[in-house]
């Protein structure tokens, strides 16, 4: 059975529906091959989660203003750093090898921002799982769901792909060494650079 909520959420995360796009119940039902009732329930759930907002009688994909982005990155840095610190303590050898292989494999996508953004999401989720803390994973899932409301990826900035992967390698090296303090620091630096890059991208758009 198709899950209307997951289908719509996946479409938002994939950029099929972007901030400001109007979501129409009948069109979604036809697109995903489900009845209108589960679509209506999914839209209500997404509105409750602030993924969608009202525009008159219509529901549109929400957008994040500067302050909301700053708050999101602050929370993300704290929770992701905790995940890295716990992963350094609890990750199995197999999980560490998977993380290292991800960094190596992702080199192939370094010049494809959209593919790299998907790979980046998988990499971070793997760190979350390696923390072996289900409650932290749940909270980080909520944070990353909100990140789907960003209009574009910071990995689109020139040279950011290469530096982001170098940062990923430092995080993995620290986790592999069992150094929680270094893993925490490397993850915070990674998020800080991502936020700084996004600020620069937004400033460039404002100048255009």
């Amino acid at each position: 059975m198709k899950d209307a909520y997951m289908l719509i959420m996946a479409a938002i995360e994939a950029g099929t529906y972007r901030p400001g796009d109007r979501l129409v119940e009948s069109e979604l039902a036809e697109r995903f091959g489900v009845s209108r009732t589960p679509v209506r329930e999914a839209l209500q759930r997404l509105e409750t989660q602030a993924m969608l907002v009202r525009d008159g009688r219509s529901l549109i994909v929400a957008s994040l203003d500067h302050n909301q982005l700053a708050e999101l990155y602050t929370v993300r840095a704290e929770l992701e750093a905790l995940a890295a610190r716990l992963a350094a303590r609890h990750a199995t050898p197999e999980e560490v090898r998977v993380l290292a292989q991800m960094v190596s494999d992702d080199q192939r996508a370094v010049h494809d921002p959209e593919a790299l953004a998907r790979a980046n999401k998988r990499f971070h989720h793997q760190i979350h799982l390696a923390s072996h803390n289900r409650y932290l994973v749940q909270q980080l899932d909520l944070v990353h769901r909100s990140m789907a409301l960003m209009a574009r990826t910071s990995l689109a900035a020139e040279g950011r792909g290469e530096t982001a992967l170098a940062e990923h390698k430092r995080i993995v090296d620290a986790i592999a060494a069992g150094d929680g303090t270094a893993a925490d620091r490397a993850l915070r630096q990674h998020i800080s650079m991502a936020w700084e890059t996004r600020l620069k991208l937004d400033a460039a758009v404002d100048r255009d």
Side-chain angles (χ1 to χ4, degrees):
M1 181 179 176
K2 295 180 179 178
D3 186 325
Y5 171 83
M6 293 302 296
L7 289 168
I8 298 170
M9 190 66 232
I12 293 173
E13 290 179 338
T16 304
Y17 298 113
R18 296 183 176 275
D21 285 352
R22 188 164 66 100
L23 298 188
V24 180
E25 186 181 301
S26 58
E27 293 175 359
L28 291 167
E30 183 176 355
R31 179 188 186 99
F32 296 122
V34 296
S35 66
R36 293 180 63 163
T37 298
V39 169
R40 185 180 308 117
E41 293 171 351
L43 293 176
Q44 291 171 348
R45 183 177 171 188
L46 288 164
E47 183 182 9
T48 300
Q49 294 173 343
M51 296 297 292
L52 304 178
V53 294
R54 288 278 169 186
D55 181 22
R57 297 183 64 181
S58 300
L59 280 171
I60 63 173
V61 180
S63 57
L64 301 175
D65 62 26
H66 174 82
N67 289 336
Q68 288 172 309
L69 280 172
E71 292 165 7
L72 183 59
Y73 270 95
T74 297
V75 171
R76 183 187 174 197
E78 293 297 326
L79 295 181
E80 293 255 19
L82 174 57
R85 195 161 67 247
L86 291 175
R89 187 184 309 164
H90 300 300
T92 65
E94 294 82 2
E95 287 172 322
V96 173
R97 285 197 294 271
V98 167
L99 284 167
Q101 189 62 52
M102 282 180 163
V103 175
S104 177
D105 291 346
D106 293 347
Q107 292 290 340
R108 294 196 296 267
V110 73
H111 298 301
D112 183 343
E114 296 304 323
L116 193 58
R118 292 191 294 272
N120 180 68
K121 182 179 177 182
R122 290 192 295 270
F123 174 80
H124 281 272
H125 186 62
Q126 188 61 38
I127 292 176
H128 306 166
L129 294 176
S131 74
H132 292 264
N133 186 305
R134 71 192 70 183
Y135 300 104
L136 179 57
V137 172
Q138 289 172 358
Q139 294 306 310
L140 279 163
D141 282 348
L142 292 175
V143 169
H144 278 259
R145 190 177 300 155
S146 297
M147 289 179 64
L149 300 177
M150 296 179 184
R152 59 192 179 282
T153 173
S154 62
L155 293 166
E158 185 175 355
R160 178 58 189 154
E162 291 91 339
T163 56
L165 289 180
E167 291 159 11
H168 282 184
K169 186 177 186 307
R170 284 194 288 274
I171 295 167
V172 175
D173 288 347
I175 291 173
D179 190 336
T181 300
D184 179 302
R185 183 170 59 249
L187 206 302
R188 287 179 188 276
Q189 290 172 345
H190 176 56
I191 301 301
S192 177
M193 285 302 299
W195 176 224
E196 183 177 328
T197 301
R198 181 166 297 282
L199 288 173
K200 290 177 180 176
L201 283 174
D202 290 347
V205 170
D206 291 340
R207 287 198 302 268
D208 290 344

